[in-house]
Amino acid sequence: MKWEVVIGLEIHAQLATKSKIFSGASTAYGAEANTQACAVDLGLPGVLPVLNAEAVRMAAKFGLAIGANVARRSIFARKNYFYPDLPKGYQISQYELPIVEKGQIEIGLEDGVTKLIGITRAHLEEDAGKSLHEDFHGLTGIDLNRAGTPLLEIVSEPDMRSAQEAVAYMKKIHSLVRYLDICDGNMQEGSFRCDANVSIRPQGQQRLGTRAELKNINSFRFVERAINVEIERQIDVIEAGGEVRQETRLYDANKNETRTMRAKEEANDYRYFPDPDLLPVVLDEKYLDEVRATLPELPDQKQHRFEDEFNLSAYDASVLTASLETADYFEQVVKLTNEPKLSANWIMGDLLGALNKNDLGIEQSPVSADRLGGMIKRIADKTISGKIAKAVFDAMWQGDATADAIIASKGLQQITDSGAIEKMIDDIIANNPQQVAQYKSGKDKVFGFFVGQVMKQSKGKANPQQVNELLKHKLK
Ligand code: ADP
Ligand code: MG
């Protein structure tokens, strides 16, 4: 049987407000446990929540950026459940009338193929506290600092057909919230995480299969792995004559497996009802126009501008605009060098390669945009060859010096004095009569041998173009 995979994601993006969604308590990460939850966050008797206007503005900004319908009127609802990290006994969320509905986003797949993914809704809600299992010797600690932190839950249509598509979608949303400056995107700190809903169905069947929901995955790598092992599990279950149960599962990265957490709850289990303490959120045209005016250049717009303005391929432009930090870095390098293609190649090749290898983001790069730009300038003005530049780049990566300082201290300037190069060539020709004879008898390949010899003798510093020209001339 051929199976089709169906995936829908629920992404939780923590909104980058200073204070909580319904109180004035700080949202700063990393404070001592239970020092940042106030009476409102805990739902103590007699307190009233007051909606944070900034959280609303951020949600509206997101809605406008994905071409969605931003509701003129939305409602907060209570989602009732018991859990130790939720002392109120309910989470304030949005249910029937969310603030954002019906948007879409384009994801890039291999070979320049793109696909539109529908976004069903995005709603505002508060986060719960955190249960701590380490350091408590068989007990569980509760830290309520996170209670009341504003979240935007972004729910996709079940439009994805593979783990790769799900990762591309998650990365695109991550990039977008960073561009919009509404979420810091820090996945280690839990500011951006997702639940992946996964099902399979026989190829050609319209009806959706029963899904499992994989909870709280906080890295792109884990999303891909978790979905893939879950797909295999479901295929195994069905092919062995069983049925997939609708349930919530947990991905264990150490064992690379998913396991049952609980049977999946239905919406009616939560007894949602409109929160009587909060007014409906009413937004008018003027407000939305104001928010629209604050939208920055979005990832797709930036990509197209990079293609036009810098004459880059769609692929290059998409890599360079995948994150705002990379795009800013690139633009700064080009401003210095005026060499878009050369700069793109260095950033996408050596720089991103080294960053990936060391698990660093571009904002943590040991080589700043100014430093890389300084080096690229020296390639462009032929002070160094592309090959020597690799050594300069390594030295910049490891140490704390500019390209110019490294070139000067190591004497890496290219030899462009044709007299000096000619002298080396003459010696090499004199010392290798056999190869000269081979070349003259038509063995063109031997030419590479001579180039190699000159480079060796000049320690890589002879200008390659000059070497080629002079060699051709002398071996005629
Ligand atoms: P809940 O809030 O109970 O998890 P929703 O119906 O809101 O349920 O769906 C949540 C997510 O699950 C959405 O992203 C949706 O696209 C996805 N989804 C729903 N049904 C399926 C299915 N059969 N297979 C895969 N994903 C699904
Ligand atoms: Mg869900």
Side-chain angles (χ1 to χ4, degrees):
M1 173 90 66
K2 265 195 91 59
W3 298 101
E4 182 178 47
V5 173
V6 175
I7 303 163
L9 297 190
E10 295 159 276
I11 292 177
H12 286 94
Q14 181 177 320
L15 296 174
T17 57
K18 290 206 173 65
S19 58
K20 299 215 172 144
I21 184 166
F22 301 117
S23 82
S26 167
T27 54
Y29 180 83
E32 195 190 326
N34 297 308
T35 58
Q36 276 179 186
C38 70
V40 174
D41 307 325
L42 304 183
L44 297 186
V47 297
L48 283 173
V50 177
L51 179 58
N52 184 333
E54 194 59 15
V56 173
R57 200 185 58 78
M58 289 176 171
K61 210 170 163 187
F62 177 80
L64 294 173
I66 57 164
N69 176 27
V70 179
R72 303 307 189 258
R73 185 167 179 277
S74 63
I75 301 281
F76 282 99
R78 289 188 183 178
K79 179 179 182 180
N80 300 283
Y81 65 93
F82 169 81
Y83 210 70
D85 64 17
L86 187 74
K88 289 211 295 264
Y90 61 88
Q91 176 195 27
I92 306 178
S93 181
Q94 294 190 306
Y95 182 56
E96 269 169 339
L97 293 173
I99 186 161
V100 171
E101 273 185 300
K102 296 198 182 79
Q104 56 181 23
I105 198 163
E106 188 179 278
I107 59 170
L109 302 169
E110 264 155 46
D111 307 323
V113 178
T114 58
K115 177 172 176 178
L116 282 175
I117 304 294
I119 294 174
T120 319
R121 55 189 272 152
H123 59 255
L124 283 164
E125 63 184 25
E126 60 179 343
D127 209 344
K130 217 184 200 160
S131 302
L132 307 168
H133 303 291
E134 281 162 39
D135 309 329
F136 286 92
H137 312 288
L139 302 175
T140 294
I142 302 286
D143 177 7
L144 292 168
N145 283 351
R146 213 176 58 183
T149 297
L151 300 177
L152 187 65
E153 177 171 338
I154 304 159
V155 182
S156 84
E157 289 289 305
D159 283 349
M160 287 149 274
R161 294 290 172 269
S162 67
Q164 291 91 309
E165 288 187 15
V167 172
Y169 167 79
M170 194 177 173
K171 284 189 172 164
K172 191 65 183 271
I173 296 283
H174 186 262
S175 163
L176 182 62
V177 297
R178 295 286 306 115
Y179 268 72
L180 295 172
D181 202 18
I182 60 172
C183 171
D184 68 18
N186 190 324
M187 297 175 80
Q188 269 102 45
E189 293 179 3
S191 306
F192 190 89
R193 51 194 202 260
C194 95
D195 303 338
N197 294 270
V198 180
S199 67
I200 58 170
R201 63 182 169 190
Q203 200 102 53
Q205 175 181 304
Q206 282 301 307
R207 188 170 45 82
L208 291 174
T210 305
R211 72 185 145 128
E213 179 172 357
L214 310 176
K215 272 285 175 201
N216 264 333
I217 314 178
N218 68 348
S219 94
F220 297 125
R221 205 176 300 151
F222 287 172
V223 167
E224 179 156 7
R225 285 200 212 153
I227 291 173
N228 280 327
V229 294
E230 177 60 18
I231 292 169
E232 278 175 37
R233 186 192 70 87
Q234 292 188 9
I235 292 176
D236 287 348
V237 166
I238 295 178
E239 290 190 345
E243 274 180 12
V244 173
R245 274 182 304 176
Q246 178 155 328
E247 61 185 2
T248 301
R249 298 179 71 86
L250 208 62
Y251 174 64
D252 181 335
N254 293 321
K255 295 191 180 148
N256 196 35
E257 64 177 28
T258 68
R259 57 170 178 268
T260 303
M261 209 162 109
R262 55 175 186 255
K264 169 92 184 111
E265 58 293 315
E266 300 286 343
N268 58 15
D269 293 333
Y270 289 118
R271 295 292 183 269
Y272 280 98
F273 65 89
D275 191 311
D277 289 344
L278 285 156
L279 294 166
V281 181
V282 176
L283 307 177
D284 61 17
E285 295 309 317
K286 183 163 160 283
Y287 176 86
L288 292 178
D289 285 344
E290 278 165 21
V291 175
R292 199 174 281 112
T294 68
L295 284 180
E297 183 181 37
L298 299 174
D300 294 350
Q301 296 168 332
K302 204 183 276 285
Q303 180 187 331
H304 294 135
R305 176 168 66 80
F306 277 21
E307 289 170 35
D308 295 344
E309 190 175 328
F310 302 124
N311 214 355
L312 297 176
S313 69
Y315 175 75
D316 288 3
S318 75
V319 173
L320 293 169
T321 53
S323 83
L324 186 58
E325 289 79 5
T326 308
D328 288 347
Y329 189 105
F330 170 75
E331 288 206 275
Q332 200 176 333
V333 172
V334 173
K335 209 162 90 190
L336 277 167
T337 62
N338 217 359
E339 294 280 344
K341 183 60 188 157
L342 189 58
S343 303
N345 288 348
W346 271 93
I347 293 171
M348 293 170 56
D350 294 69
L351 180 71
L352 289 185
L355 291 170
N356 276 343
K357 212 167 100 191
N358 291 281
D359 231 342
L360 294 172
I362 200 163
E363 65 286 356
Q364 301 162 296
S365 173
V367 179
S368 68
D370 287 350
R371 290 262 162 102
L372 187 68
M375 186 192 85
I376 290 170
K377 262 160 71 176
R378 294 297 160 257
I379 305 173
D381 70 14
K382 303 208 160 55
T383 305
I384 53 173
S385 66
K387 190 144 176 244
I388 292 285
K390 294 206 180 268
V392 175
F393 178 82
D394 286 343
M396 287 200 294
W397 183 274
Q398 262 137 39
D400 182 36
T402 62
D404 283 340
I406 293 163
I407 293 167
S409 73
K410 298 196 176 171
L412 296 174
Q413 291 88 337
Q414 212 163 193
I415 301 169
T416 50
D417 169 2
S418 54
I421 299 176
E422 264 181 84
K423 168 94 189 33
M424 284 184 241
I425 291 178
D426 289 341
D427 289 349
I428 289 164
I429 288 178
N431 292 332
N432 297 282
Q434 211 182 327
Q435 280 84 350
V436 174
Q438 281 175 351
Y439 181 75
K440 290 199 169 160
S441 73
K443 272 200 169 176
D444 290 348
K445 272 195 195 149
V446 186
F447 192 75
F449 164 79
F450 290 106
V451 175
Q453 289 297 307
V454 181
M455 284 310 192
K456 196 167 151 196
Q457 215 172 88
S458 69
K459 300 204 175 69
K461 293 188 292 186
N463 175 292
Q465 213 177 333
Q466 274 174 303
V467 171
N468 269 289
E469 278 162 19
L470 287 169
L471 265 175
K472 277 206 185 111
H473 181 74
K474 299 230 168 211
L475 285 168
K476 243 198 259 171

